[in-house]
Amino acid sequence: MYLDLTETSITEAVQRTFDGAEDERFKELFVGLVRHLHDFTREVRLTGDEWFTALDFLRRVGDITSPTRQEFVLLSDILGLSVLVDLINHEDGPSVTDSTLLGPFYVEGRPTAANGSDISGEVEGTPLFVNGRVLDTEGNPVAGARVDTWHSDGNGFYDVQMQEKLHHHLAMRALLIADDEGRFWYRSVAPRYYPVPTDGPCGEILRAANRSPMRPEHLHFWLHADGFEPLITMLVRSDDPYLECDAVFGVKRSLVVDFVHHEAGESAPDGTRMDEPFQTVEWTFVLARKES
């Protein structure tokens, strides 16, 4: 069966090794993967040196990956795979908030915060007040919805990128619980556009392609509620200079929102009289019910 294989016959031979798989989806995935990998290799006439380079690249992606540095996620992001998977699996229609990619900076074990809390972790920056609401497709509040949120600071850095400065504490991220009206609100600092990490293997791809590494200013959200499909999404600043050239293809028009500027002396949404300029964001998130 495996003797005297040729450039073309080897593909079928490898695919047949999955015939005994009991899980049909497993079989479908790997048979298709082998087909496309082999077709790609034949199409581009992959050389031995290029193959070794690719394997070494994947090794280095693994070496730099850590609980706070997800280089494999970034690789999927810059190749558009993350957004493609999202587009395939989320076709809920205009009545539900659009989803988008998770990104490489989500962290397990984030702190829980009460509504109205300052989640900035005392990071310096322009004060930002976020007021959100979680509804179902009929306009009813989703009480008790769990809302993860995280974002960069005013210089474009996430807490996991400056752990020494923060004395190994997390900042600008929290888990909040929507109230009986589906509302949640918090204070933080306004984020900033930033480059995706370019000091690792993924940066080599971007430089070789002469691609911009920049992501527009945004806030991440991951919403969960009993009886509803989870939603991973983000809100993107409407006047950001990188709005139309996101390095990871994650911007959707429906998720573009105004970060409203307010002058010093005005009152914040929580009633605080502000002695410095600040920004506000308001948004309603709509969740889809799980199919029974």
Side-chain angles (χ1 to χ4, degrees):
M1 178 178 179
Y2 304 142
L3 300 179
D4 299 322
L5 295 173
T6 67
E7 179 183 310
T8 55
S9 68
I10 187 173
T11 301
E12 184 180 356
V14 176
Q15 289 175 316
R16 279 203 298 261
T17 64
F18 294 96
D19 287 349
E22 296 181 0
D23 187 321
E24 286 300 319
R25 180 59 173 166
F26 168 85
K27 178 180 177 181
E28 179 184 14
L29 290 172
F30 275 87
V31 168
L33 177 64
V34 169
R35 180 176 70 254
H36 288 289
L37 280 177
H38 287 213
D39 284 347
F40 166 79
T41 303
R42 283 186 287 262
E43 177 185 343
V44 302
R45 309 307 298 172
L46 194 69
T47 68
D49 286 343
E50 291 166 340
W51 178 71
F52 277 114
T53 298
L55 294 182
D56 182 65
F57 176 87
L58 292 176
R59 177 193 61 77
R60 291 187 291 113
V61 170
D63 287 345
I64 203 171
T65 296
S66 72
T68 57
R69 172 68 182 268
Q70 300 294 336
E71 193 79 359
F72 274 111
V73 175
L74 181 59
L75 178 60
S76 175
D77 290 350
I78 66 172
L79 295 180
L81 181 60
S82 301
V83 169
L84 176 58
V85 171
D86 176 68
L87 291 170
I88 289 172
N89 289 279
H90 295 91
E91 299 178 354
D92 295 308
S95 63
V96 175
T97 299
D98 278 334
S99 60
T100 188
L101 75 176
L102 179 66
F105 293 115
Y106 173 74
V107 173
E108 297 280 0
R110 67 286 186 242
T112 299
N115 283 311
S117 296
D118 183 347
I119 71 167
S120 67
E122 300 182 354
V123 171
E124 295 182 359
T126 301
L128 173 71
F129 294 85
V130 177
N131 282 270
R133 196 174 188 199
V134 188
L135 304 177
D136 65 16
T137 55
E138 297 178 351
N140 301 309
V142 182
R146 302 176 295 282
V147 183
D148 263 300
T149 185
W150 65 101
H151 61 82
S152 76
D153 70 358
N155 294 312
F157 293 101
Y158 286 80
D159 51 3
V160 296
Q161 296 175 297
M162 46 183 182
Q163 280 293 280
E164 289 189 11
K165 177 180 178 181
L166 294 175
H167 304 291
H168 301 283
H169 289 124
L170 297 177
M172 303 167 292
R173 69 175 73 236
L175 171 66
L176 300 104
I177 307 298
D179 67 11
D180 291 343
E181 294 298 318
R183 300 183 185 279
F184 67 92
W185 62 98
Y186 62 90
R187 175 176 175 168
S188 191
V189 295
R192 183 72 168 172
Y193 50 74
Y194 62 85
V196 298
T198 58
D199 58 337
C202 291
E204 297 171 14
I205 292 178
L206 296 175
R207 286 189 291 274
N210 290 317
R211 276 176 55 182
S212 168
M214 299 304 294
R215 295 219 64 201
E217 181 176 327
H218 59 277
L219 305 169
H220 287 283
F221 296 91
W222 192 349
L223 296 90
H224 292 85
D226 295 340
F228 292 86
E229 296 292 343
L231 172 67
I232 296 172
T233 192
M234 67 181 184
L235 300 179
V236 187
R237 187 184 186 100
S238 59
D239 58 352
D240 191 280
Y242 300 102
L243 188 67
E244 298 185 3
C245 56
D246 182 11
V248 299
F249 313 100
V251 177
K252 296 181 179 179
R253 292 185 187 276
S254 65
L255 301 176
V256 175
V257 61
D258 291 334
F259 283 54
V260 182
H261 176 81
H262 301 267
E263 298 294 341
E266 295 185 35
S267 293
D270 63 1
T272 303
R273 188 78 169 175
M274 300 295 292
D275 58 2
E276 61 181 317
F278 64 97
Q279 298 177 19
T280 58
V281 170
E282 295 187 10
W283 198 255
T284 297
F285 300 86
V286 181
L287 302 184
R289 290 190 178 275
K290 289 183 177 179
E291 297 181 3
S292 54

